[in-house]
Amino acid sequence: MTYLAKETLLWAYKKLSTLSEDPSLQGATQKVSAIRYALALDMFYKHNNRECNTRDAKDKAEFASNINKLVAINDNLYTTNFYIPLASHLGDCAVGSNFYSVGAVKNSLMNPSVMISYPQRGNKPLFEIQNGVLYRRIEMLSNMNSYITFDEHKFALALWIVGKFELDSSYVLTEIKKIYHSIFSDELCDLLCPTYGSDEWLKEIHFANQLPIISKNDIEMLFDDKHKILKNFDHQQVIFYGAPGTGKSHGIKEATEDAEKQGNVFRTTFHPDSDYSTFIGAYKPTMAKRAVRNVAGDIVKNNGQEVFEETIVYKFTPQAFTNAYIRAWQTNEPVYLVIEEINRGNCAQIFGDLFQLLDRDDEGKSKYPIIPDTDLGNYIESQLLGYDNVPEEIRQGKSMLLPSNLFIWASMNTSDQSLFPIDSAFKRRWDWKYVPIENVPDKNYKIKINKTEYDWWEFLKAINKEVFELTNSEDKQLGYFFVKKTDGIIDAETLVNKVYFYLWNDVFKDYDLDSQKAFRNQETQRAISFKEFFEGGLNEELAEQVLLNLELEGRPLDE
């Protein structure tokens, strides 16, 4: 008898973290949710040979228990989407509240005669729901291939599931098939069983003589601390993404501080009006001095000094990309082009033909050159004159290639409503790095309201739990630096006008308000409307009620 070792399970977990090609997409979490719900339903069917009626307490509990078996890391922790942060087992562990209370199941209960496909987003449903009953459909099982596209993900998922079982042998593929057929239907096994394991994957398999215990720390160590990532990050093109206030821009600034001292950091922020010329450069009118000449064309002098006048001339004015590009060819040191809020601009329009340069070879240089327009080429030539170490075609501005020491780092808030979608071809040319919501103990922010002090991090944990249970998504959650305070004190005005306004306007207003508990008036037992916070001036007692609704403990302040 043997077990898969901890190293193997952590390898599988890390591989599963790439289930979504772009984890920043709104549907990334929901995609993994759909997988685990469909697998749990198939397990229920295998055990009971009938549909799962979520109105029945026993059926509902067994369905939730099946999900626990799929996503549990240990007895106390589970993961919703194979990314940190982890969550504690609470009630229907890993069954998003959207599924039962404000989403799919509730919709079916409100419309009992209607058969609802799940997931409803897209056209690849995995099962159906009617009046709270989950129906497994054989004809829909093949859609699972749209959610788990690559065999390496099937292999990783199999290792993760099999890792909770005692094995009869070390022939892993054989063991996977045996265990799969014991818990899943034959039809689903045919879809889920990996057809092969590459040498690269198989060499990651280690064994132990007892079931390994994986801790929260083991999982967190898979995903480096954000500042350590940035300090040692050598990816040429990466987008750091996460909830607002997680410190993405601050982390980039810390990571590039040495380069900035050398003048090797160039920053820009994308917005709806950004275009190619504001990113690359263009001819612009500028003020210049020129010598005054008389009718004969001679320079006018006054007391032997030339007389100058101000005039308007047109010249090429470089912008962030061009400045970073030229600087990178002028030095062997790392040069950083930092793009803030990359998803707020039309990337296809802004990058234009520079898009082709984003394909890098193994050495970090662009694979495919482009020919710059005449204005840009002439400017590049004027700036690289004398740099004989630069390839001639590059130096003369006849060709453009990104050098390996040019790093393009970008940030984006996953909660922002992008005006322009980033197309898949563009996204594939970037690495993506998730910046999680974390406590910052050395800051120790406090909320001071109605003569009472509350811990900011405790508030964030409580409200983020509410946001996740309501939306079944991490995109709208708040990071530690959602509010920035040099003195660490968040007063009532800041709390209401910035934090509550964001929550009310960007999160809760789009959902069934009776399903959340934070904004609830305990006297009327109705949702608090935002204007109520300002009736008769800023109502600190009502603002504090939100904290009390979240069951936070406050410390009375001295008068």
Side-chain angles (χ1 to χ4, degrees):
M1 296 293 186
T2 186
Y3 297 88
L4 293 180
K6 180 186 292 186
E7 306 97 287
T8 297
L9 298 183
L10 293 176
W11 176 87
Y13 189 101
K14 189 68 177 284
K15 182 65 68 174
L16 288 171
S17 72
T18 61
L19 258 173
S20 293
E21 179 184 343
D22 175 6
S24 69
L25 291 176
Q26 177 70 25
T29 299
Q30 290 86 337
K31 175 180 179 179
V32 183
S33 296
I35 294 171
R36 64 179 189 258
Y37 295 163
L39 267 56
L41 178 58
D42 191 83
M43 292 167 69
F44 182 95
Y45 183 89
K46 173 76 174 183
H47 181 254
N48 297 285
N49 197 30
R50 62 174 174 82
E51 292 78 15
C52 175
N53 184 357
T54 63
R55 302 194 311 276
D56 182 286
K58 290 183 179 179
D59 279 15
K60 185 175 180 180
E62 183 176 343
F63 179 65
S65 176
N66 290 344
I67 296 175
N68 295 354
K69 294 172 184 176
L70 295 168
V71 300
I73 291 166
N74 56 41
D75 291 339
N76 300 312
L77 290 172
Y78 73 92
T79 173
T80 57
N81 59 355
F82 296 108
Y83 292 95
I84 54 175
L86 305 173
S88 299
H89 287 185
L90 296 170
D92 351 326
C93 158
V95 182
S97 64
N98 257 17
F99 191 75
Y100 280 149
S101 60
V102 295
V105 172
K106 182 178 180 180
N107 289 343
S108 76
L109 295 173
M110 294 175 64
N111 303 279
S113 63
V114 178
M115 185 70 77
I116 299 174
S117 296
Y118 184 86
Q120 291 177 276
R121 177 180 297 182
N123 58 355
K124 300 291 183 181
L126 296 174
F127 56 91
E128 292 183 321
I129 309 171
Q130 184 176 22
N131 197 24
V133 178
L134 313 183
Y135 289 87
R136 171 186 172 274
R137 302 296 192 205
I138 293 179
E139 62 272 19
M140 291 183 178
L141 288 182
S142 61
N143 288 336
M144 185 65 73
N145 287 325
S146 299
Y147 294 82
I148 311 178
T149 309
F150 300 109
D151 205 66
E152 62 187 280
H153 288 133
K154 291 183 180 179
F155 187 67
L157 179 63
L159 293 180
W160 181 254
I161 294 174
V162 170
K164 300 173 178 65
F165 290 82
E166 189 176 45
L167 310 180
D168 291 329
S169 75
S170 58
Y171 293 99
V172 178
L173 294 178
T174 301
E175 291 293 306
I176 288 172
K177 290 180 180 179
K178 181 189 71 177
I179 293 171
Y180 263 17
H181 279 282
S182 72
I183 60 176
F184 296 124
S185 68
D186 292 343
E187 295 87 356
L188 188 59
C189 288
D190 291 341
L191 289 168
L192 288 182
C193 278
T195 55
Y196 64 92
S198 73
D199 291 339
E200 177 188 354
W201 309 339
L202 291 174
K203 73 181 181 182
E204 301 294 339
I205 298 178
H206 303 276
F207 297 93
N209 59 9
Q210 60 183 7
L211 186 68
I213 302 300
I214 298 177
S215 68
K216 180 178 180 181
N217 185 61
D218 291 323
I219 297 296
E220 290 178 338
M221 288 297 289
L222 288 177
F223 305 89
D224 301 324
D225 173 79
K226 56 180 177 290
H227 298 319
K228 289 180 181 177
I229 285 175
L230 298 175
K231 284 293 186 184
N232 301 299
F233 215 67
D234 60 356
H235 293 222
Q236 264 93 12
Q237 285 143 205
V238 59
I239 295 176
F240 298 95
Y241 69 96
T246 49
K248 298 178 291 295
S249 298
H250 179 71
I252 292 174
K253 190 175 190 309
E254 276 194 346
T256 59
E257 58 187 356
D258 292 338
E260 189 149 25
K261 293 174 183 176
Q262 301 172 16
N264 290 339
V265 177
F266 301 84
R267 286 187 168 82
T268 186
T269 300
F270 282 3
H271 53 81
D273 288 334
S274 297
D275 58 18
Y276 186 84
S277 64
T278 60
F279 187 49
I280 309 302
Y283 264 86
K284 291 184 178 181
T286 58
M287 297 301 296
K289 289 184 179 181
R290 68 177 179 185
V292 177
R293 296 179 180 273
N294 57 26
V295 177
D298 300 323
I299 294 176
V300 176
K301 295 184 178 181
N302 184 12
N303 295 327
Q305 299 293 321
E306 293 182 356
V307 177
F308 291 90
E309 65 178 355
E310 299 227 335
T311 186
I312 296 176
V313 298
Y314 285 82
K315 66 177 183 178
F316 186 87
T317 304
Q319 299 300 323
F321 175 85
T322 302
N323 290 329
Y325 175 83
I326 289 171
R327 180 60 181 160
W329 280 112
Q330 291 174 338
T331 180
N332 292 322
E333 298 295 325
V335 174
Y336 296 88
L337 171 61
V338 178
I339 304 172
E340 301 285 3
E341 306 198 33
I342 190 170
N343 56 323
R344 294 192 63 240
N346 186 339
C347 292
Q349 173 182 303
I350 295 169
F351 274 82
D353 56 353
L354 297 181
F355 169 85
Q356 186 167 310
L357 300 180
L358 299 179
D359 264 328
R360 309 261 193 143
D361 60 23
D362 292 339
E363 296 179 357
K365 302 190 299 293
S366 296
K367 289 183 181 179
Y368 312 108
I370 64 170
I371 299 174
D373 61 48
T374 303
D375 296 337
L376 177 58
N378 289 340
Y379 180 79
I380 292 173
E381 183 180 23
S382 70
Q383 298 302 304
L384 295 182
L385 188 66
Y387 287 88
D388 296 334
N389 60 313
V390 178
E392 184 177 0
E393 290 285 304
I394 301 295
R395 189 174 68 249
Q396 294 178 351
K398 296 178 180 178
S399 178
M400 290 183 72
L401 285 172
L402 301 185
S404 59
N405 66 324
L406 178 55
F407 296 78
I408 307 177
W409 288 3
S411 69
M412 64 177 279
N413 287 330
T414 51
S415 66
D416 290 343
Q417 300 298 314
S418 305
L419 296 179
F420 305 98
I422 303 177
D423 66 72
S424 297
F426 185 83
K427 287 184 289 192
R428 283 198 303 271
R429 284 156 175 80
W430 297 78
D431 292 311
W432 294 77
K433 199 66 187 178
Y434 174 60
V435 182
I437 298 171
E438 295 179 325
N439 190 14
V440 187
D442 60 319
K443 294 299 180 183
N444 197 27
Y445 280 9
K446 300 295 182 185
I447 300 170
K448 291 188 176 181
I449 186 170
N450 198 28
K451 300 178 182 178
T452 309
E453 180 182 271
Y454 294 87
D455 186 81
W456 172 243
W457 176 241
E458 292 302 316
F459 165 75
L460 289 179
K461 287 194 297 183
I463 196 64
N464 283 338
K465 179 176 179 292
E466 278 288 297
V467 172
F468 181 80
E469 289 184 350
L470 188 66
T471 67
N472 199 26
S473 170
E474 297 176 11
D475 292 351
K476 298 290 187 180
Q477 293 180 331
L478 283 68
Y480 199 92
F481 295 107
F482 185 88
V483 172
K484 297 184 180 70
K485 286 289 185 178
T486 54
D487 60 0
I489 304 301
I490 300 170
D491 57 21
E493 185 173 351
T494 302
L495 184 68
V496 174
N497 282 313
K498 183 162 188 177
V499 182
Y500 288 2
F501 180 72
Y502 165 77
L503 291 168
W504 187 262
N505 192 60
D506 285 12
V507 183
F508 292 112
K509 75 170 185 179
D510 294 326
Y511 293 87
D512 178 4
L513 292 177
D514 290 333
S515 301
Q516 57 82 34
K517 69 178 184 181
F519 290 92
R520 181 174 295 279
N521 189 319
Q522 294 302 323
E523 292 183 4
T524 64
Q525 284 300 306
R526 298 180 61 187
I528 302 170
S529 64
F530 190 74
K531 68 178 182 179
E532 288 181 66
F533 290 117
F534 298 95
E535 291 177 352
L538 181 58
N539 189 333
E540 290 200 22
E541 287 188 9
L542 189 60
E544 186 185 22
Q545 182 65 60
V546 175
L547 307 181
L548 298 175
N549 290 343
L550 295 171
E551 301 178 8
L552 300 183
E553 293 185 5
R555 181 179 68 85
L557 296 172
D558 296 334
E559 293 290 341

